[in-house]
Amino acid sequence: MDADGFYPLEEAIYIDTLKIYAQNQQWDILLYGASEQLIIENPSIHLLEDELNFGEIDIGQSGMLNVTITNSGLGDLIFEEVLTDSDIFSVPDSIDPLGPNQTVSIPVTFTPITETDYVDALTINTNDPEHPILDLD
């Protein structure tokens, strides 16, 4: 431990006395320190939608819906990868980092090639330590 610092081990109020002795004299110096909980600046991802339903789209046409993402954390949310399982649904190749309390709408495009029901998942990989991977069906 350095002699010139205050390094608390937990949140508390610390009081102590530094005693200095020199030439038959004594000085008492009151030491006071308060520590607070460390605030970790992590991002926190939140999705507004829990599913996307494009309804009926004609073959050869495209439909687009947005996924709304909010960063309710204190650190920048970095999108490491956003992808779908098939080429029928598409998303942008990259998304800019999202600062604290910012929101972004990510367009998801659906382009059917045959007349059938399509089901896919949108996977979002980020640096959110509590939810590094989110899937939206």
Side-chain angles (χ1 to χ4, degrees):
M1 177 185 280
D2 293 340
D4 61 350
F6 174 60
Y7 303 97
L9 299 177
E10 59 188 37
E11 184 175 355
I13 295 175
Y14 295 85
I15 300 173
D16 207 343
T17 303
L18 173 64
K19 295 183 181 280
I20 301 175
Y21 300 95
Q23 300 175 350
N24 294 328
Q25 291 188 349
Q26 176 182 335
W27 292 273
D28 291 337
I29 300 172
L30 179 64
L31 301 175
Y32 175 85
S35 64
E36 297 178 355
Q37 182 179 8
L38 178 64
I39 297 176
I40 300 173
E41 295 185 0
N42 285 331
S44 182
I45 188 170
H46 292 277
L47 298 177
L48 181 60
E49 297 80 13
D50 56 2
E51 71 174 29
L52 296 178
N53 185 341
F54 287 87
E56 292 187 21
I57 305 292
D58 293 331
I59 296 172
Q61 300 296 312
S62 294
M64 187 187 75
L65 295 174
N66 288 316
V67 174
T68 306
I69 298 174
T70 298
N71 177 10
S72 61
L74 297 174
D76 287 347
L77 181 66
I78 297 171
F79 296 92
E80 296 164 357
E81 189 173 41
V82 178
L83 52 96
T84 61
D85 292 335
S86 71
D87 293 335
I88 302 300
F89 297 89
S90 61
V91 292
D93 292 332
S94 65
I95 300 167
D96 292 335
L98 200 55
N101 296 316
Q102 290 185 331
T103 299
V104 66
S105 291
I106 299 173
V108 179
T109 304
F110 169 55
T111 309
I113 56 174
T114 61
E115 189 173 323
T116 188
D117 289 336
Y118 291 92
V119 176
D120 202 346
L122 174 67
T123 302
I124 304 169
N125 298 330
T126 68
N127 66 329
D128 179 340
E130 295 199 19
H131 304 286
I133 300 172
L134 284 180
D135 288 317
L136 176 69
D137 295 323

